[in-house]
Every structure is written in structure tokens, then in C-alpha cells.
Amino acid sequence: CEEIGLLGIYGNTVRFPSLEHCNYVKGGWLEEYVYDTLDTMGLKPVMNLKIKKDGEREIDVAFMHKEKLYVLECKSSNLTRKTKQNHSIIYQIKTLKDLGGIETVLVLVSYQNVNIEIKTSAGEIKIFQGGQVNDLKDHIRELISSSNANAA
């Protein structure tokens, strides 16, 4: 990150040129990776979509395919430990279900593996985690295929 100007390291201090640079290093890079992956698949994704319903929310990445809305929440933080924040992540994703109706497909893309609490509380949320992120195209193709098969 330092070599490409996203941050500077000065002794024990890390400095970012701007808030945008800081946000990119904190996780914006994963959103961009997911967006680019979907774009290369021809799925015409949107990124950082603002939703004003019961306050303001942001959808990291979303796309439509055969009249279904796919909503992807991207997390680069450590979700291996049990925390209150982890529980709220699943709750926040589930609140997006009604945006596109009953056919909305919810997805959590986590750079790291997620803990068992997240997996068991996810319900219908599809989780791509850890090493699966490297093969995201294949997993998205499979998800679309299975979503279309379930609708038939």
C-alpha cells in the first residue's frame, strides 16, 4: 500500500493521504474486487448504492439477473471471533431482503472465514468466505444457476 501511495508509514504511525484512501485500505478494495468480478461477467453491477428507508443504508454491490436482485455485502474485517458486531452484520443484511421482493438473493462476501455464529444465523444468506473469494466468478455462476433452478 505504501508503494502505491495509499498510506505512509512514519515510525509507529500510519498516515493516509485522505479519508478515501483510508476507507479503501479498510475494505473498499474488496468491494471494488467484487464489483470488477461481476462486471467482467457482464452482470452490470452497481456499487455503493444508497438506500433511504428507515434511515440511510448502503449496499456495497448489487446486480439484477433475470428479474432477481442480488445484494452483496463485503467484509474484509476479521469475522472469525464472536462479537456483537458480527451478529449485527447478519441482521443488517437481512433487512435488505425486502428491497427487491421475495426473490432477492442476499450474499455475504468475507475476505476471511466467518465464525460459526454467523454461519448458523445466516439463514438464506449465501456466504462466500476466505479462499472462496479467489474463485468468486465460479461461485457467482453457481449461485445464479441455483437461484434460477429454484424459481422454476
Side-chain angles (χ1 to χ4, degrees):
C1 290
E2 189 174 21
E3 295 84 23
I4 59 173
L6 290 176
L7 57 84
I9 300 174
Y10 307 95
N12 292 333
T13 304
V14 176
R15 290 193 185 135
F16 296 94
S18 69
L19 182 58
E20 290 80 20
H21 286 83
C22 180
N23 288 337
Y24 186 82
V25 171
K26 283 183 2 184
W29 65 269
L30 182 59
E31 294 172 20
E32 192 172 296
Y33 170 77
V34 170
Y35 174 90
D36 288 345
T37 299
L38 298 171
D39 192 44
T40 62
M41 296 173 70
L43 294 172
K44 300 180 182 169
V46 293
M47 190 165 77
N48 300 324
L49 187 63
K50 303 271 190 258
I51 304 296
K52 291 186 180 188
K53 181 181 179 198
D54 302 326
E56 185 171 295
R57 291 280 328 272
E58 182 180 284
I59 295 176
D60 292 338
V61 183
F63 68 94
M64 293 286 298
H65 186 268
K66 295 193 177 180
E67 300 180 13
K68 286 186 184 183
L69 175 64
Y70 292 77
V71 176
L72 293 87
E73 182 72 16
C74 304
K75 295 293 176 193
S76 60
S77 58
N78 186 350
L79 301 179
T80 59
R81 295 184 307 268
K82 185 177 177 178
T83 67
K84 286 182 182 179
Q85 180 189 8
N86 291 352
H87 182 71
S88 70
I89 289 168
I90 294 298
Y91 174 76
Q92 289 173 1
I93 297 170
K94 286 181 177 180
T95 63
L96 300 172
K97 179 72 174 174
D98 62 347
L99 289 177
I102 197 164
E103 296 292 323
T104 300
V105 178
L106 303 174
V107 180
L108 170 61
V109 178
S110 175
Y111 176 69
Q112 301 201 28
N113 289 326
V114 301
N115 68 43
I116 192 70
E117 178 190 22
I118 290 176
K119 290 176 186 175
T120 56
S121 64
E124 294 180 12
I125 299 170
K126 181 65 179 167
I127 299 174
F128 300 131
Q129 61 180 328
Q132 291 178 316
V133 175
N134 294 331
D135 303 316
L136 190 59
K137 267 188 195 179
D138 295 334
H139 293 293
I140 293 293
R141 280 191 195 105
E142 185 179 311
L143 176 65
I144 290 171
S145 178
S146 66
S147 295
N148 291 332
N150 292 340

